[in-house]
Amino acid sequence: MGGKQRDKDDEAYGKPVKYDPSFRGPIKNRSCTDVICCVLFLLFILGYIVVGIVAWLYGDPRQVLYPRNSTGAYCGMGENKDKPYLLYFNIFSCILSTNIISVAENGLQCPTPQVCVSSCPEAPWTVEKNQFSQTVGEVFYTKNRNFCLPGVPWNMMVITSLQQELCPSFLLPSAPALGRCFPWTNVTLPELPGITNDTTIAQGISGLIDSLNARDISVKIFEDFAHSWYWILVALGVALVLSLLFILLLRLVAGPLVLVLILGVLGVLAYGIYYCWEEYRVLRDRGASISQLGFTTNLSAYQSVQETWLAALIVLAVLEAILLLVLIFLRQRIRIAIALLKEASKAVGQMMSTMFYPLVTFVLLLICIAYWAMTALYLATSGQPQYVLWASNISSPGCEKVSINTSCNPMDQPVNSSCPGLMCVFQGYSSKGLVQRSLFNLQIYGVLGLFWTLNWVLALGQCVLAGAFASFYWAFHKPQDIPTFPLISAFIRTLRYHTGSLAFGALILTLVQIARVILEYIDHKLRGVQNPVARCIMCCFKCCLWCLEKFIKFLNRNAYIMIAIYGKNFCVSAKNAFTLLMRNIVRVVVLDKVTDLLLFFGKLLVVGGVGVLSFFFFSGRIQGLGRDFKSPHLNYYWLPIMTSIVGASVIASGFFSVFGMCVDTLFLCFLEDLERNDGSLDRPYYMSKSLLKILGKKNEAPPDNKKRKK
C-alpha cells in the first residue's frame, strides 16, 4: 500500500526524469519556441515604435521644459533667447485664486500677465502716486525696469498701463526657480495696492517657494557633485570589490558563514524572548492588564499591558523552536545547500564574464525607461495651446460687452480695449484631433509597453545566465569541458530561438503588475469614501495579487532555466520545472531560505560598509589622510553619501542577482542529475565531489572517463 501511495504521489508531480545517453547539458539542436507569441511581441514593439513616431511628430516638449509668456512665446528661445525667466505681474493672484497644487497641475499658469525677463527683480519696488502721470519710458525703461509686456509704447501714461495691466504695479525681490521668478519670503513686503492679509500671502508664497524653488538648491547640488564625483566613483569601486570578494570567498567560508548567520538569528530570537519576558514580568507585577486599558485606536498604548509582551514572547518562542527543529531534522539538506553555494561560487569564478552581464541588462532597462518617458512626454504635449480672453474684474465699466473665455490670439493683445485688464491668457491644450482624442489609449499602450519590455529584458538576462551556468554543471571534467564562450553562446541561442517564450512569460507577469497598478489607483481614488469592509476587501485583493506576482516570478525564473537547458516552449518548461521542484519541495525551501539569508547578509555588508566609509569621509571625521585624500567642502555632505549608498545597493544587487541565478540553475541541474544518473559506469553523476560525499554516493566512472567528453 505504501509503495502504491508513493507511486500516486510521483504521478501527481510528474515522473522522474529518465536517463538519456545523448544528453550533454544545454542542447544545441533546438527550434524556435512560442512563435505566435514571438510574432505578437514583435508586432507590439512595431506598434510601440509607431506610437513613439506619432508622439514625436505631434508632441512639443518645450511646453513643459520652457515657460510661456502672455503672448504665447517661449522664454529662453527664439526672440526671447536672452530672456529665460518668466515674471508674474501679480504672484499673489496665483496663491489667492487657487491652491498650490492646482497651480502646479496647470503648468504654473496664473490669471495674471506674464513676461519674459533676462533677470529677476533684486529689490522691492512699488509705483508711487506721483509717478502715475509720468510715461512708461520714464518710470520703467530709463530705470532699467524692462518688465512690461512687449510692444508697450514709450509715451504711454503709467496709469493707463497699470489699468490695462500692461506693466507691473510692484516688484518683489525674486529668485529663478523652474524658469520662473518667485519672490523670497525673508523680506519685508511693502504696501501693495489691492493686496491685503499679508500673513496669508506670506504663508502662500512660502509654501510655493518650498515646493517649487529648486534653482539655488540645484546649483548647490551640482557643485557638490562636481567636487565629489571622483570620490563617489571610488566608493562605487569599493562596493564592486567587496561584492566580488564576498562571492569569491564563499568557496572557502560558505559553511562557517551560514553557520554564523543561523546562530546569529537564533541569538537575536533568544534575546527577543528574554526582553519580552522581562517586560512581561515587570508589567505583571504592576498589574497592568488589557482589561484595564480596554479597546483603543492608539496602538502605542498596548505597549504598557502585559498581554502584548506575552503574545510577543509566545511568537518568538515558537519561531525559535521551529528554527531549532529545522536545524536538527534538516541538517543534511542545509549541508547540501552550503555545498551548492560553494559550487555556485566556483562557477562564477570560472566564468567571470557573467558578473558583468548585469551591465547589459542595466543598459537595456535604461533604454526602455528612457524611450517610454520621452514618448509619454511628447504625447502629453501633443495638443495645441488654447488661449481665451480674461479680465481681472469683469464687472468693471466697459467689460459688459466683452465675451470672456472666448478664443483669442495671444499675439494680438487687446491693448486699446475699453475693458481694463482685458488680455489673452493661456487656458490649456486642445483635445481635438485624432492623436488628442486617442491620447489616453496611447498612454495606456505606452505603459503596457514599458512593463512588457522591462520584464522581457529581465527574462532575457535570467535565461542567458541560466544557459551559461548550466553548461558549467553539465561539464563532466571542469573546466576542460566548459564551452569556450558560454555566455555569448547562451545569449545568441536565447535571442535566436526563445524570444517568444520570454515574451510569453513576461506578458503573464505584466498583466498581473498592470492589475496591481489599477487596483492601487482605485484604492487611492476611493480611499476617502471607503468603509472598513471595503478597505478590508481591497487589502485582501492587493495581498492576493502581490502573492500571485511573487509566485509567477518564481515560476518564470525556473521556467527560463528549463528553456535554457532543453529549448522547449514556456508552458512545457514551466510544468517540468514546477513538478521537479515539487518532488523536492523540502530541499527547495531550505536552499531558498539559506540563499536569501546569505545574500541579504552580503548586501548588508556591502551597502553598510560603503555607507559607513562614505559617512566618515564626506563628513570630515577621518583625519590625517593627507592633502590628496582630504574630503571636499560640500554644501550638503549627505548628498554624496546617499549617492554612494544607492550606487552600492545597485551594484550589490546586480552581482548577487547573478549569484542567485547561478544557485537556482545549479540546484535544478543537481535535482535532475539525481534522477537521470545513478553513479554507475555508464551513468555517472555530474555533481561535485562534496555533494557526492554529503549524499553518501560515488561515481564508478574513473576521473579520466572520455565518454563524457563527447
Side-chain angles (χ1 to χ4, degrees), residues 131-168:
Q131 294 176 325
F132 288 166
S133 59
Q134 299 181 12
T135 63
V136 171
E138 295 173 343
V139 176
F140 289 94
Y141 297 152
T142 58
K143 303 297 183 180
N144 200 25
R145 301 188 187 104
N146 299 316
F147 301 121
C148 295
L149 294 177
V152 177
W154 182 286
N155 57 357
M156 177 179 283
M157 302 299 294
V158 171
I159 184 65
T160 305
S161 67
L162 296 182
Q163 290 175 348
Q164 298 183 5
E165 296 192 14
L166 301 178
C167 294

Side-chain angles (χ1 to χ4, degrees), residues 638-709:
W638 51 265
L639 185 65
I641 296 175
M642 295 303 300
T643 305
S644 301
I645 291 175
V646 173
S649 177
V650 172
I651 291 175
S653 299
F655 277 90
F656 293 152
S657 66
V658 174
F659 184 76
M661 196 67 200
C662 182
V663 173
D664 291 343
T665 303
L666 297 184
F667 180 59
L668 282 184
C669 295
F670 164 73
L671 296 180
E672 286 214 343
D673 194 8
L674 286 176
E675 295 183 353
R676 283 182 176 274
N677 306 307
D678 57 6
S680 62
L681 184 62
D682 295 329
R683 299 167 58 185
Y685 292 111
Y686 283 78
M687 67 186 70
S688 63
K689 294 181 179 179
S690 59
L691 285 170
L692 287 173
K693 185 177 180 180
I694 293 173
L695 296 173
K697 299 179 183 294
K698 62 180 181 179
N699 277 332
E700 296 180 3
D704 58 347
N705 185 9
K706 303 299 181 182
K707 184 178 181 180
R708 291 299 170 183
K709 287 190 176 183

